[in-house]
Amino acid sequence: MAISVGTAAPDFTLKDQNQKEVKLSDFKGKKKVVIVFYPLDWSPVCTNEHACFVNDMKKFEQLDAQVLGVSVDSAWSHKAFADKMGIHYPLLADFHPRGAVGEKFGVYLADKGITGRAIAIVDRGGNIAWFRNYDIPTVPDLNEVSKALDGVN
């Protein structure tokens, strides 16, 4: 079951591509957070999705938001993927236990062993302000995401 808008975002701590721990609650009161759940590094749609984020990063920075990518890949895979794609925002490894954070947000697909494609916007208060599930083969419309983000405090 996907998480509901208006509820508190489940806190988590995961390692990024540089082995640095990133905790969602560290952004509370400071920045809005865009959590990008995606199935796997290196897949064609995920590669296109992250290319869009890299190209539009200035827009997200202007909206005072931290982008966090989350998938079940290892930190090592994230590191190679980030280096290849020019990704400078954290890619978080929901690796062990596999999909635990995705499960908290209702986006882990246990039968496939991957995270589904979804985007959650967390407001500065730590609540889910916007959430959307996407079909796995669909690249999210980042204009829609940034428009939603613009309306969030």
Side-chain angles (χ1 to χ4, degrees):
M1 183 84 181
I3 197 156
S4 300
V5 170
T7 61
D11 197 19
F12 59 81
T13 303
L14 292 173
K15 286 193 176 179
D16 72 3
Q17 66 268 34
N18 298 310
Q19 300 293 323
K20 179 180 172 230
E21 286 194 344
V22 176
K23 188 173 184 177
L24 180 60
S25 59
D26 285 347
F27 299 101
K28 192 171 181 177
K30 299 174 188 163
K31 279 187 172 280
K32 298 178 265 188
V33 181
V34 178
I35 306 172
V36 181
F37 292 99
Y38 64 101
L40 294 167
D41 294 338
W42 310 106
S43 68
V45 177
C46 296
T47 298
N48 290 341
E49 179 179 15
H50 284 287
C52 291
F53 272 102
V54 168
N55 293 336
D56 284 353
M57 193 48 58
K58 190 160 282 325
K59 185 186 304 180
F60 289 93
E61 289 168 356
Q62 289 168 344
L63 292 168
D64 197 31
Q66 174 65 56
V67 174
L68 302 175
V70 179
S71 82
V72 297
D73 294 291
S74 70
W76 303 110
S77 177
H78 284 334
K79 175 74 173 143
F81 186 61
D83 289 351
K84 172 86 168 125
M85 297 290 299
I87 296 169
H88 299 291
Y89 52 87
L91 295 181
L92 305 177
D94 194 9
F95 185 71
H96 186 74
R98 188 173 187 89
V101 171
E103 186 72 44
K104 289 181 181 181
F105 283 80
V107 298
Y108 181 64
L109 306 173
D111 59 326
K112 294 180 172 64
I114 60 172
T115 303
R117 190 174 314 285
I119 296 179
I121 297 175
V122 180
D123 65 21
R124 285 185 185 87
N127 296 311
I128 302 293
W130 188 84
F131 182 84
R132 174 116 191 248
N133 259 312
Y134 297 88
D135 287 335
I136 286 181
T138 302
V139 174
D141 177 355
L142 295 196
N143 288 327
E144 173 188 47
V145 177
S146 60
K147 189 180 290 184
L149 182 62
D150 194 29
V152 172
N153 285 324

